[in-house]
Amino acid sequence: MLRTEKVPFLESMAGWPVLVATGLAVLVDTVIPFTRLGAGLGLTALPVFYFPWLLATLSGYVALAQRVKRRFVRRFGELI
């Protein structure tokens, strides 16, 4: 997201191996606390109302990072 001047997920996408690996990691890390393995590791499941807040926080991060990136490019002409 920070490595290109393009809009992430619309104008620029990561390669499929990166997308698959990231998706699997997110899925596994989200599901483990709900399993016996998670309980055995001392993990507790997050409450359901946490996930909308997580999506809102991530969306806010993406929007803010895009805005700051565009300002930076407008001021300095290119990314570092």
Side-chain angles (χ1 to χ4, degrees), residues 7-73:
V7 177
F9 308 112
L10 299 177
E11 297 175 350
S12 176
M13 289 289 286
W16 69 268
V18 174
L19 292 174
V20 169
T22 302
L24 286 174
V26 168
L27 180 67
V28 168
D29 292 346
T30 301
V31 171
I32 283 179
F34 295 95
T35 66
R36 283 184 172 187
L37 174 62
L41 294 172
L43 302 176
T44 57
L46 294 168
V48 177
F49 65 83
Y50 169 81
F51 293 100
W53 283 105
L54 176 62
L55 289 174
T57 301
L58 292 174
S59 298
Y61 168 76
V62 169
L64 181 61
Q66 187 64 24
R67 184 174 179 181
V68 170
K69 181 171 63 171
R70 284 193 178 179
R71 273 189 155 172
F72 185 92
V73 169

